[in-house]
Amino acid sequence: MRIAVVPGDGIGAEVVPTVLPALDLLNDRFGLGISHETFGWGAERWLAEGVGLPPGALDLLTAEYGAVLLGALGDPRIPDMAHGRDILLGLRRGLDLYVNHRPFTPRATGRSIDLFRENTQGLYSGVGGTITQERRTAVAIDECVYTRDTVEKFLRHSLRTLSDQGRERVTLIHKSNAVPNTGRLWQEVFRAELAHFPGLRGSEEYVDSFCYHLVRDPSPYEGIVAPNLFGDIVSDIGAALMGGLGLTASASICPETGFGLFEPVHGSAPDIAGLGTANPYATAVTLTLMLDHLGHPAASSALRRSLAEAVRSDAATPDMGGHGTTGSFMAEVMRQLEKDLANGIDAVPGGGSHG
Ligand code: ATP
């Protein structure tokens, strides 16, 4: 299994290299057979050569790689994020990564919520245009486009995943009172697909009142399924409920091919780039999502345990209440991981690791 690593811009380029040793260690101890190669796609290349996602990149990834680990894209010198759209939307649409899974654990409850966001259509479909008059924008249109096929595939995969995880409740967020056409399509398909999963109890909420309820009390929610824009916004609320953008990760996958793009939810954070204080936690959690997806739950659990230990130490970065740096936090994670793996090997007679 080959992984394409794209550190990207700003703090992405700082946190990604610090978490890779954890992947290498797990790969070594668990014999995962993972190798990785780094690609310099991002703002520098865009500014120097005008290249975002290089020609042939999608074919190369499809033929030779199984996953992409991405840091972050964003640069103050490219205010419209043209390179980010080219690379990220290019990967999402080009590889048909229509399921975006963003788990988060509100601090108030300590129980995780699985958010599934449709990742390729809706208001992000790129359909629209602008009419300019006297060099001013007179009319601006962005269309919300959904095909039944994509909504069906997305909901089926999300509900199946929730059901397999033993979840009992799932909430569809929509705005069918104000956005009736795509809203009704989502409701119709949600009800039809839910019938295949008798263990799941479904509810439907308007996105505005859903946000209100989620912030006041996240405890009733277990699984959330959402169209693209609503899922994007709710994932940042999830990050805030968890304690910051430095903590949440996401997986974008194509269930048919199994290809995955794994990235932290935060962006390039230009305000703290270069200070050495960026929190690598989200990117390390991103690794755990990738390991889970690739079928290595024991390696993923070992990393999760080490992260949980390291968060409690003073090596944690300032956003987590510590006095550490990107490097000191990951050094602590590595120390915990070595300890955890050594315990595991001791605990299993005849060698091997329990993870
Ligand atoms: P971009 O344009 O790339 O999306 P942004 O500044 O708009 O960048 P984020 O990068 O998501 O958005 O960051 C928002 C704020 O959250 C930052 O100002 C930063 O202070 C904080 N932040 C984000 N990620 C981290 C992190 N990993 N560690 C610490 N703080 C973070």
Side-chain angles (χ1 to χ4, degrees):
M1 170 57 67
R2 295 175 77 186
I3 312 292
V5 176
V6 182
D9 309 326
I11 63 166
E14 296 173 31
V15 292
V16 168
T18 63
V19 305
L20 288 176
L23 178 62
D24 293 335
L25 179 63
L26 291 165
N27 184 45
D28 187 41
R29 299 293 173 86
F30 287 90
L32 307 180
I34 291 176
S35 65
H36 54 82
E37 209 170 310
T38 297
F39 292 83
W41 306 339
E44 290 304 337
R45 182 145 183 214
W46 178 265
L47 291 168
E49 302 169 33
V51 173
L53 189 65
L58 294 175
D59 288 339
L60 176 77
L61 290 172
T62 313
E64 297 184 23
Y65 294 83
V68 174
L69 174 68
L70 177 76
L73 294 167
D75 191 295
R77 294 169 296 173
I78 313 171
D80 65 354
M81 261 286 267
H83 72 304
R85 274 200 309 281
D86 192 70
I87 298 170
L88 257 185
L89 297 186
L91 289 171
R92 281 183 194 161
R93 290 214 202 103
L95 299 168
D96 202 18
L97 308 173
Y98 61 87
V99 178
N100 186 237
H101 178 204
R102 302 184 171 202
F104 63 94
T105 305
R107 264 205 278 213
T109 60
R111 284 206 309 275
S112 74
I113 296 174
D114 283 305
L115 167 66
F116 290 90
R117 160 192 171 191
E118 196 289 318
N119 214 21
T120 54
Q121 298 190 345
L123 264 169
Y124 296 56
S125 61
V127 178
T130 310
I131 299 173
T132 309
Q133 279 168 352
E134 292 160 8
R135 283 186 283 152
R136 287 191 336 162
T137 303
V139 181
I141 302 168
D142 290 302
E143 300 274 14
C144 181
V145 179
Y146 265 115
T147 60
R148 185 176 192 101
D149 176 54
T150 291
V151 179
E152 265 173 6
K153 287 191 304 186
F154 166 79
L155 285 175
R156 197 168 303 150
H157 176 82
S158 307
L159 298 181
R160 187 180 305 120
T161 308
L162 288 167
S163 168
D164 289 350
Q165 288 170 349
R167 298 291 205 177
E168 293 174 353
R169 281 172 287 176
V170 57
T171 306
L172 167 72
I173 52 180
H174 65 95
K175 189 67 186 168
S176 65
N177 51 349
V179 190
N181 297 297
T182 51
R184 269 199 302 267
L185 172 66
W186 274 80
Q187 286 180 303
E188 199 181 298
V189 176
F190 180 66
R191 290 168 198 172
E193 292 299 324
L194 206 53
H196 301 299
F197 301 95
L200 279 176
R201 198 164 72 248
S203 60
E204 299 169 17
E205 283 190 49
Y206 292 124
V207 61
D208 43 350
S209 90
F210 167 82
C211 290
Y212 177 80
H213 289 126
L214 180 71
V215 170
R216 282 182 69 95
D217 178 16
S219 63
Y221 300 105
E222 288 190 2
I224 301 163
V225 287
N228 210 339
L229 176 67
F230 302 154
D232 195 6
I233 296 167
V234 168
S235 68
D236 273 30
I237 298 180
L241 292 174
M242 205 165 159
L245 274 168
L247 302 176
T248 42
S250 81
S252 300
I253 52 178
C254 173
E256 285 81 8
T257 62
F259 198 96
L261 165 69
F262 299 86
E263 54 183 320
V265 171
H266 66 72
S268 63
D271 58 329
I272 57 164
L275 300 180
T277 55
N279 188 355
Y281 184 97
T283 305
V285 175
T286 305
L287 275 188
T288 70
L289 291 184
M290 188 177 82
L291 289 167
D292 283 334
H293 178 72
L294 297 177
H296 305 305
S300 168
S301 303
L303 182 52
R304 275 179 210 278
R305 282 195 299 273
S306 306
L307 282 165
E309 288 296 329
V311 164
R312 286 195 277 272
S313 77
D314 201 46
T317 48
D319 60 313
M320 293 191 287
H323 295 95
T325 61
T326 311
S328 75
F329 179 70
M330 277 317 291
E332 180 60 19
V333 173
M334 291 298 282
R335 206 174 66 80
Q336 294 292 344
L337 198 52
E338 292 275 9
K339 206 166 87 184
D340 186 280
L341 295 174
N343 286 342
I345 289 162
D346 287 348
V348 179
S353 148
H354 72 127

